[in-house]
Structures are given as C-alpha cells and as structure tokens.
Amino acid sequence: MSLSRAGPSLRPLCRRCSQLQRQSSLVIFPSARSLSTSLPSSRQYARQQPFPVPSTAQLNPTIPRDQTVPRAPLQITVDDFNEKPSAHPYQIVSLLLQRVPEYIASPRARRKLNACGLDTRLVLYKIQNEWMKKVENDLGEYADNKNDQEVLQGLARNGWNGEDLIIAMNQGRIITTVESMALRNFLSWSLTLDRKDLIDDQLKIHIQSILNITDLTRLPYSSEFLSARSMKRHFHLHIGPTNSGKTYNALKALSKASSGAYAGPLRLLAHEVWERMNLGTVGELDGKGRACNLLTGEERRVVDPDSGLLSCTVEMLPLNGLNGKGFDVVVIDEIQMLGDEQRGGSWTKAVLGLAAKDIHLCGDETTVKLLHNLLEPLGDQITVHKYNRLTPLVVAEESLNNDWEKVEKGDCVVTFSRTNIFAVKKMIESTAGKKCAVVYGALPPETRAEQARDFNDEKGLSEVLVASDAVGMGLNLKIKRMIFESLTKFNGKKETPLSLTQIKQIAGRAGRYKTSSDSDSNKNSDLVTTPDEAPAVGGLVTTLHKADLPILRELMKRDLPSIPRANLEVPYNNLSELASLLPSTTTFGGLLEQFSSLVKVPKYTTLSGYEHKLPLADLLEPYRDQLSLAEIDLFCFAPVNIRDERAKGIFQELIKDFSLNGYVDLEDIFKSSRLITQLELVEETLRTLPPLPPVLGIGRKLLTPPIIISSIPMLETLHKSLVLYIWLSFRLEVSFPDRSKAVELKERTEVVLDNCLERLPGLRQRKHAKGERSKEVDRLVRDWRRENVMPNGTRKVEGVPRKGLTWIERNVAERVKQRKTWRNVRVVGEGEGEGN
C-alpha cells in the first residue's frame, strides 16, 4: 500500500517526505520532491510553497517532543556542488589591507599581545602605527597587480604566505588565518626595532622564545621523528576507489613481513584485520594464521607477546615500532583522512614520523599530489599503484520516485540523522513489508557490526539497511543498491549539500562485498577474487526523489578534488613550553588559542582545529589547580559527546572525583544519571518477552513495551560513557580501577541495544494475496507462538497462569530493586545462628 492511498494515521517521516492534510479535502501540489508518496502520473502538480513539516516526535518515539525542530527541505541544483573559484593573489592583498588594520587595533589582538609581554598601552599604540605604515607600503603596490606570480612572491618577501591564504579563503577560514599571520608578522617585526624605550632586550628575548616555540617548520626533523629521518623509507601509494582491491594488496605485503602493523581509522577495521591475520584469511596465508596483537584506544588483545605483527587504530600506532627498532612493513588505511580537521593530525604524524622500511598508504586519488609534496623533500622513495574498481558501479535509470514500496531486498537507504533513520525504517517496514537493520554513528561499533551481520546473512531477519554516512567506512556490507534519501545534510545550523567525497564514498558501498557462500554463482566470472572476499556482480546507486537523480548522475562523473593541506596536531612539548612563557592565569582554551594564533607550520600543512576541545576545556577549568597540564590535555582528547547532557554530566562527575580523590569509582559517576538502573530495567523487560519468530509480519504483532523504544538514546549514552571510562583506564590505570566492571557493563549494553533495535515496531503484515506467505510459513509461526507466547504477548514461562505475565514498568523496577537488596544480604548458616 503506498502512502498516497493510506489513511491519516500514516504520517510523513522525513524533511522531504511530507503529505499535506486538509480538513475538507486533500490538495496535492506539483513538487514531487517534497512528498514521500507514489503519486499518480496522470495528474499535474504545482510547486508547494510553502508546506508544513510535521513534528519529528510523532515519527520517532525516541525523540522528546520538546526537542524537535521542523526543517524545510533545501532545493538544490548541480551547481551547488561546484567548487568555488579560487581567489586571485591581488584580491588577497586587498583583503589584507582592509582587515589587518582593523584586527591589530582590536581588543582580541591586544589581549594576545599583552600575553606576549607587550602590556603597555602607549607602547602598543606607537608600534602598531609604525607597523601598519610598513604593511601598507609593502603591500600597496600589489593591490592592482594582476600578475599572480609577482604578487605571491611579493607577499612571501614580506612574511605573508599567499598560497595558504588562498586555500584558507576556499575553506572558509580566511579571517583566522589572516589574523594569525598578522600577529606573527607584527611580533617578528617588533624584534627588528632599535627602540629600547619601547621594547628592551629582555622583552625581545621573551618574544623570540615564544616565536621559536610556535615555529613548527622544522617539526619533521625534531627528536620525536629522529628514527624516521635516519632511514630510507619506501612509500607505496595504493590509490583507487572503493572496492578496487587496494587494501587487500597492501595486506598481502604485511602478511609476509616479519614485523609490521596495520593502522586503520576505526576500531572495527583494526579488529577485522586482527581477526583475519590470526585466522590466516589475509593475502596468501591460505588459512595458516599468524599471531597478531590488537591495540586500540579501548581494547588490548595480546595473542603472543613476542609477535611482530600489530593491528591498531592510527592514533595508537607506535612510530618507532614494537621494540624501538622500527617496522619492516606498515599499512595505513584511509590516508585521505589526513585532510580531516579533527583527526587528520594522527595520519600526518604517522606519515612524517613512522620508522618503517616499507609503508603502504591506501586511499583515493585526492592525496597523491599532497603526499609527493610532503615526502619528496624528506628523501623518501614513492611508488604509486593505481587500481580500478573490481565491479561496476552504475547510476540507475530511475529513482524510486518517492515510492517506498519500490525498496527491494538488499537495498541500503542513506539518510543523515537518527530521527530520519528511524522514520525511514518505520516507513519501509509499514509499506514495503521488509524488516530493516539500522546503522548510524551513535550506535556502538559492536552493535553496528551486529546489525550489518543480520543484513548480510541470507538467513538473517533484516532485508534492508537504513544507515547514515557511517555506512561509508568500516563495515563490509552486501549492498545491491544504494539509495540516497537526500543529497543534503543538516550540519547543526543549516542544510548543506553533501561533499563529492561523501557521495562517492557512500555510493561505492553498493556491490562492494559478497560472502564466500554467495560467490558460487560467480565461479565462471572473469573477476579477480581473493581467498577471503568475493566481489559482487555490481552495484546500483539511485535516489529517492526524482529531481535528485540527474544531480547524482552528474556528480558521479566528476573527479574528486585534491586535498591541499595535511592537518597537524599541536605537539604537547611545544604547548607545554608556551604555557611556561604566558601568564599563569591563562586558561587551557586560551593556551590553545594563543598557540594557534602564532603557529608557523611546515609547508603543505595546516594546524588542526582546536575548537572541538574548548567545551571540554571549559568543564576542566574549575579543577585546573588540581590537574597537571598533561592531564588536562589528555582529558580534552577523551571521547566525550559534549552535546549529550547525560554524557556531559557523567564527564563532570568523573573529573570531579579524579581531581579531588585521585581515583574514579565507576558506580559513583553513574549514580545520578541512573543509566545503569535503566539498563537493568530494560534487561528485566526483555526477559518477559518471547524470542523473535522465525518469520516476521505474520499473525498478531509482537509486544513492544514503551521502555524498549524510549531507552535507546539512554543506552547509547551509557555505552559511550563506559567506553570513556575504559579509554581513560588504559592511560591512568591506578585512577580508573574498575575497567573489568566497565567492560562487563559495556557488553551487556551492546546485547540489550541490539535486542531493542530488533524489536522496534512497524513491520507490515505479510499477505497471502501478494504471495508473501504460504501454509508452511503460517504453520511455523503458529507452532512458534504456541511454544513461546502467552495470550497477552509475553514469554511463556512454566508455572505462570495461562493469561501470562503482567508487564508494568513499575513492577519491573520493583523487581530490580529487590534483586539488588537480596544481593547484599548475607546468609547466616545454622551453626552460626545457634545461640544468638
């Protein structure tokens, strides 16, 4: 049944999928993009302008009604995905002449200059005027010069990096870049003044020390990277799209090495390679496993202490090897991540400082030019291996035309918020009658893997996958067709078009993987297969909305833009030295800002963003006197979702206990949030429910207590907070002693979350008329119900009246409370009790 023929109880489910309801009549307007229905082709429609978007609270019961924000769809064209033309150097000069005088006289510049020791208002005023006259004289002649090369050379002579300013303009961070260069240019110029009445020799030494500490241009040659500089490294760049075999060929080299490591972007990927190495399903091992250890932020698994092989996340990769003598072979996956503003510093650090003879970098074509620019000056050898996709990826001839009934088994629908994911899942299950697995970023990696396993397995219950952009990395998925629900994404402030990189990475998952059990039909194929993976026949990609399909078709033809700069993390030693030269009242956030304002980075790099650390730094500030700078820096790297108020509260309790007591008790920090109690309530509830039937959508609907639905966000928060505790326990073992208890709770949470997702309601009943069921299937379900289900839908338990268990949340809470009470009661033996 399509939504166009449905009754008023079927509500629109996402920002694009809405249906206008009127009291007197149903009026349908011409914009098919704004409706999630299958519309009769015989009618003509006019653009709906404007139209109401329903509250998402009615679509997804896990979202409180007071937190819903209706959003109208963004109307886009292919031009919205075009790269903005780069600014000309003379335009950069005009911008400098306009912005620099305003900035250098501003209170924010004065605060930073005061922190460097220039704290006399009169001194600053006199120096600033002289410097501005110099800047105007130096740059004024280039304001109208249309010769780009001459202007760039003139900027460089006067201490301005024109290329970095142009890139910053393209990336939307021109103001901060201009201000940073202006501040450093001003301080460098002040050292040349022979005015002891304004700047004495002692102040010059102080300013020079600050400039030296924030100068990272010699970072690749620092003591930290000494081992890498002392060897001749050979880089193998495995460049190709998704499903091209690049990672497989890199892992073949690793499997033959006496010592080596795999470093991936996600714990899931590190865990997968670790498992495959030990089982011998990588490369040419032919089932003869090699001992490989696992190292991630939240997990350590030692198979053999003497093993020379390691699988880890990039952040945990030991640069100097397992024994301090370097590696033979290292594979670094998803190398394009070095352009990521938050995490890219770890990839750049590995590329610059890894001590290994052969380094295999796997990624797409966006990094080739940048890697040549970074590595050739260091004397490293580079070999590029290019790959084509093993299986074809085709843009479909037609979209779904807003008809959810066209969703087929093996499809993956991509949408970009948890609200939309649950809404789309409910719509597909209620119209197409196909159970959906879900994958999104807030889910624990283990739960994501379990959902993927249920989707991949031919015997699994899930026929369709509904996912966020988290599907683009880290999971092997047997997707036949990728469907974009939208080509835009809400970035926290407004709807913006997806990047070309995101679109291609997500689309590339279609036809990416088939299990070995599915490869029999391809035995006569000419496609190259591997012992552990067999390619699918091919993949399709399409859109939900008709208007999006030509845009997608055009974008899939385009080449990805090159990454212009590698991100660089602030080295802790430099940060610590700068802190000793700034006023003692400087906050950690202020320290990060000051370093960023003065930093001078190596060529072809840029400083990673620090803004995401500021909310954590603000929470740590009240305890600054009890914490060392290293501890504050560590906590600012901790995996905390600051937008989650419950997670934020747990982090505050954790910091408070650590600062005041020196140790953190697991149960104490969770007490006020009641998240562990909620976990126990859901566990008790699930015990009252029967197992899932062998075939879904037949007979009476399954009982789904409200707590199953409403607890999902709380369980996600609990899992993330437990991961935080485990993460810290590996770095501060004495202060976080309850790691084993946290791991146990984490595993329980994963099991419960997976059960909750499996039991979400919405699946349409299967009909005889559509050939979706047979007498045999009906008999199977009937036997299952007779064996497992009471009349009221609860689990059949021996000794319980025929009517079944009465499920009330209050009763479940009472049982949990009693169970806790009896745990703490000490049973006194008969001999002990006599005579009392």
Side-chain angles (χ1 to χ4, degrees):
M1 179 179 64
S2 71
L3 186 57
S4 60
R5 302 193 297 275
S9 61
L10 285 176
R11 302 298 302 273
L13 294 174
C14 64
R15 62 178 181 277
R16 288 178 179 267
C17 303
S18 64
Q19 179 181 17
L20 188 62
Q21 295 181 358
R22 301 270 177 97
Q23 291 181 352
S24 57
S25 62
L26 178 64
V27 180
I28 301 182
F29 293 86
S31 176
R33 288 176 58 81
S34 63
L35 298 177
S36 175
T37 64
S38 69
L39 301 173
S41 59
S42 60
R43 297 189 181 182
Q44 297 295 319
Y45 307 99
R47 179 175 294 275
Q48 182 179 344
Q49 186 66 271
F51 65 92
V53 179
S55 168
T56 52
Q58 297 177 0
L59 314 175
N60 179 9
T62 67
I63 306 297
R65 289 176 181 271
D66 59 354
Q67 294 181 17
T68 62
V69 181
R71 298 196 297 270
L74 177 67
Q75 302 295 327
I76 57 172
T77 67
V78 72
D79 293 335
D80 294 315
F81 295 86
N82 294 338
E83 286 188 67
K84 296 179 181 178
S86 296
H88 291 285
Y90 74 88
Q91 294 172 318
I92 295 295
V93 171
S94 299
L95 180 67
L96 288 173
L97 292 174
Q98 176 188 347
R99 293 289 305 184
V100 168
E102 175 189 341
Y103 168 67
I104 207 65
S106 68
R108 60 185 183 279
R110 191 173 295 276
R111 283 195 302 271
K112 292 173 182 176
L113 291 170
N114 286 342
C116 294
L118 294 168
D119 55 358
T120 304
R121 189 168 298 180
L122 179 62
V123 170
L124 282 177
Y125 177 75
K126 291 181 178 179
I127 295 178
Q128 286 169 1
N129 284 343
E130 288 185 35
W131 179 71
M132 273 314 308
K133 289 179 182 177
K134 177 182 180 300
V135 170
E136 290 172 0
N137 289 335
D138 291 341
L139 301 183
E141 62 179 292
Y142 300 108
D144 298 319
N145 190 334
K146 300 299 190 293
N147 188 318
D148 291 353
Q149 197 60 35
E150 285 185 10
V151 178
L152 289 174
Q153 290 174 356
L155 286 168
R157 280 195 300 272
N158 291 286
W160 306 89
N161 190 321
E163 290 182 1
D164 282 355
L165 287 167
I166 291 172
I167 291 171
M169 174 77 83
N170 294 340
Q171 296 179 344
R173 49 183 182 84
I174 182 63
I175 300 303
T176 55
T177 305
V178 165
E179 294 181 356
S180 175
M181 287 188 184
L183 197 66
R184 188 173 186 90
N185 194 301
F186 175 78
L187 288 174
S188 299
W189 172 81
S190 68
L191 297 177
T192 64
L193 292 177
D194 189 16
R195 297 281 300 275
K196 293 189 177 182
D197 57 321
L198 298 178
I199 302 181
D200 57 27
D201 292 340
Q202 188 174 358
L203 181 55
K204 284 186 178 182
I205 293 172
H206 180 74
I207 293 173
Q208 186 63 63
S209 298
I210 290 175
L211 293 176
N212 290 343
I213 290 168
T214 54
D215 186 353
L216 302 181
T217 52
R218 298 289 299 171
L219 182 66
Y221 303 95
S222 65
S223 57
E224 185 180 8
F225 299 154
L226 192 59
S227 296
R229 296 291 78 77
S230 63
M231 62 168 53
K232 178 78 171 180
R233 303 184 300 172
H234 187 179
F235 280 86
H236 298 266
L237 310 188
H238 298 269
I239 304 301
T242 306
N243 193 24
S244 58
K246 55 185 184 294
T247 306
Y248 166 72
N249 282 284
L251 289 176
K252 276 174 62 177
L254 177 61
S255 67
K256 300 174 186 176
S258 59
S259 68
Y262 166 85
L266 300 172
R267 181 159 58 92
L268 273 178
L269 286 172
H271 194 281
E272 180 189 345
V273 171
W274 168 77
E275 190 175 63
R276 288 165 59 186
M277 279 288 184
N278 283 287
L279 293 175
T281 59
V282 169
E284 299 172 353
L285 292 179
D286 296 327
K288 299 176 183 178
R290 291 195 57 190
C292 177
N293 299 323
L294 178 69
L295 178 63
T296 71
E298 305 91 36
E299 194 174 11
R300 310 283 194 276
R301 295 199 182 186
V302 179
V303 177
D304 180 359
D306 298 323
S307 171
L309 295 182
L310 175 71
S311 184
C312 62
T313 48
V314 173
E315 286 84 353
M316 302 301 293
L317 178 63
L319 296 183
N320 295 323
L322 298 174
N323 53 10
K325 296 181 181 179
F327 292 106
D328 288 333
V329 175
V330 173
V331 176
I332 301 178
D333 211 353
E334 304 292 350
I335 188 59
Q336 68 272 10
M337 285 288 291
L338 55 73
D340 186 82
E341 191 174 350
Q342 290 189 14
R343 295 184 62 198
S346 299
W347 274 260
T348 306
K349 185 177 181 179
V351 168
L352 295 177
L354 182 60
K357 297 174 185 175
D358 289 287
I359 302 174
H360 296 256
L361 306 180
C362 305
D364 56 42
E365 70 270 22
T366 61
T367 58
V368 175
K369 183 179 178 181
L370 176 59
L371 289 169
H372 276 278
N373 289 335
L374 285 173
L375 297 173
E376 285 176 351
L378 301 178
D380 294 317
Q381 182 182 350
I382 302 172
T383 303
V384 179
H385 310 270
K386 292 192 175 181
Y387 299 80
N388 295 318
R389 186 178 166 92
L390 293 176
T391 59
L393 179 64
V394 180
V395 179
E397 292 296 324
E398 294 182 352
S399 70
L400 267 61
N401 203 21
N402 309 327
D403 187 357
W404 293 110
E405 285 189 335
K406 293 181 180 178
V407 173
E408 302 171 354
K409 182 177 180 179
D411 284 350
C412 174
V413 181
V414 179
T415 186
F416 298 100
S417 73
R418 181 168 61 182
T419 303
N420 276 4
I421 285 170
F422 284 111
V424 169
K425 168 185 166 70
K426 185 175 180 181
M427 176 59 88
I428 293 172
E429 291 183 344
S430 62
T431 56
K434 293 177 173 61
K435 182 168 173 57
C436 300
V438 294
V439 169
Y440 54 94
L443 279 180
E446 294 80 3
T447 304
R448 273 183 266 168
E450 190 59 38
Q451 292 285 299
R453 194 175 296 114
D454 187 47
F455 171 72
N456 284 336
D457 191 349
E458 289 292 338
K459 298 179 181 178
L461 294 174
S462 298
E463 300 176 275
V464 176
L465 182 66
V466 181
S468 70
D469 47 358
V471 76
M473 187 184 297
L475 292 170
N476 278 326
L477 296 163
K478 193 170 57 177
I479 297 169
K480 296 178 181 177
R481 181 173 62 169
M482 187 70 70
I483 302 166
F484 283 86
E485 180 270 328
S486 171
L487 295 178
T488 64
K489 181 179 180 179
F490 187 69
N491 65 2
K493 296 179 181 178
K494 62 180 181 179
E495 289 284 335
T496 57
L498 298 175
S499 69
L500 184 59
T501 301
Q502 285 176 313
I503 289 173
K504 285 206 163 189
Q505 188 167 34
I506 293 169
R509 308 300 289 184
R512 184 182 188 277
Y513 174 87
K514 290 197 77 174
T515 59
S516 57
S517 62
D518 298 315
S519 61
D520 294 339
S521 60
N522 292 330
K523 284 181 179 177
N524 298 324
S525 172
D526 293 332
L527 298 174
V528 178
T529 61
T530 69
D532 50 328
E533 292 185 8
V537 175
L540 276 176
V541 57
T542 188
T543 61
L544 173 65
H545 303 283
K546 185 177 180 180
D548 284 339
L549 187 60
I551 298 175
L552 178 65
R553 183 173 286 112
E554 171 61 29
L555 294 176
M556 292 299 292
K557 298 175 185 176
R558 297 186 178 183
D559 294 328
L560 293 172
S562 295
I563 297 173
R565 295 289 184 264
N567 280 270
L568 204 64
E569 198 65 57
V570 178
Y572 173 74
N573 290 339
N574 296 64
L575 198 66
S576 177
E577 289 181 31
L578 180 63
S580 66
L581 297 176
L582 298 181
S584 58
T585 55
T586 305
T587 65
F588 187 75
L591 177 62
L592 292 173
E593 185 181 4
Q594 191 77 4
F595 195 101
S596 178
S597 298
L598 293 169
V599 69
K600 186 177 181 181
V601 294
K603 288 185 70 175
Y604 308 109
T605 66
T606 185
L607 198 69
S608 293
Y610 65 89
E611 291 79 8
H612 63 285
K613 298 180 184 178
L614 296 181
L616 292 179
D618 291 340
L619 296 178
L620 292 163
E621 193 58 31
Y623 306 99
R624 189 176 56 165
D625 293 341
Q626 289 87 24
L627 298 173
S628 68
L629 184 65
E631 289 169 341
I632 294 174
D633 186 57
L634 173 66
F635 283 120
C636 284
F637 271 103
V640 183
N641 182 5
I642 204 67
R643 294 178 296 178
D644 186 330
E645 288 301 321
R646 288 193 185 93
K648 182 178 173 181
I650 290 168
F651 181 72
Q652 287 176 301
E653 289 291 326
L654 181 150
I655 294 301
K656 179 182 174 182
D657 287 359
F658 178 82
S659 302
L660 301 180
N661 305 325
Y663 71 93
V664 180
D665 182 88
L666 183 68
E667 291 187 0
D668 285 350
I669 62 173
F670 281 101
K671 194 174 293 180
S672 60
S673 70
R674 301 189 73 252
L675 290 177
I676 295 178
T677 302
Q678 190 71 16
L679 171 66
E680 293 173 337
L681 285 172
V682 179
E683 285 177 326
E684 288 288 335
T685 303
L686 288 170
R687 289 190 188 101
T688 70
L689 301 178
L692 292 174
V695 181
L696 295 175
I698 295 178
R700 289 175 56 189
K701 290 186 178 180
L702 299 175
L703 174 65
T704 307
I707 193 173
I708 297 294
I709 301 171
S710 61
S711 295
I712 290 176
M714 298 177 70
L715 293 172
E716 291 169 357
T717 299
L718 172 60
H719 189 276
K720 279 183 165 42
S721 300
L722 289 168
V723 167
L724 167 66
Y725 189 97
I726 296 167
W727 188 88
L728 288 167
S729 73
F730 280 113
R731 291 152 179 82
L732 301 166
E733 292 195 58
V734 175
S735 299
F736 292 83
D738 297 331
R739 184 195 304 159
S740 58
K741 192 184 298 183
V743 170
E744 180 194 349
L745 280 169
K746 170 178 164 288
E747 291 172 351
R748 283 169 55 192
T749 306
E750 290 160 5
V751 171
V752 171
L753 249 178
D754 194 56
N755 284 333
C756 289
L757 291 173
E758 283 183 341
R759 293 180 179 274
L760 287 178
L763 193 66
R764 174 179 63 76
Q765 293 290 294
R766 296 177 184 266
K767 304 294 183 184
H768 276 297
K770 291 188 176 182
E772 295 176 339
R773 50 193 281 197
S774 63
K775 289 182 179 180
E776 178 64 22
V777 169
D778 282 355
R779 185 187 62 77
L780 279 174
V781 175
R782 191 166 53 248
D783 291 346
W784 165 83
R785 183 171 290 279
R786 188 183 302 116
E787 224 177 278
N788 296 284
V789 187
M790 289 290 195
N792 68 344
T794 59
R795 180 190 292 268
K796 184 173 283 188
V797 181
E798 189 176 347
V800 174
R802 185 176 179 280
K803 185 179 178 182
L805 297 168
T806 302
W807 187 90
I808 302 175
E809 186 167 342
R810 185 174 63 254
N811 292 351
V812 176
E814 187 63 29
R815 286 202 299 274
V816 172
K817 184 178 179 182
Q818 287 175 357
R819 193 175 65 187
K820 281 188 173 180
T821 302
W822 284 107
R823 268 195 208 133
N824 297 326
V825 172
R826 187 167 71 92
V827 179
V828 181
E830 291 182 4
E832 238 181 315
E834 290 177 1
N836 290 340

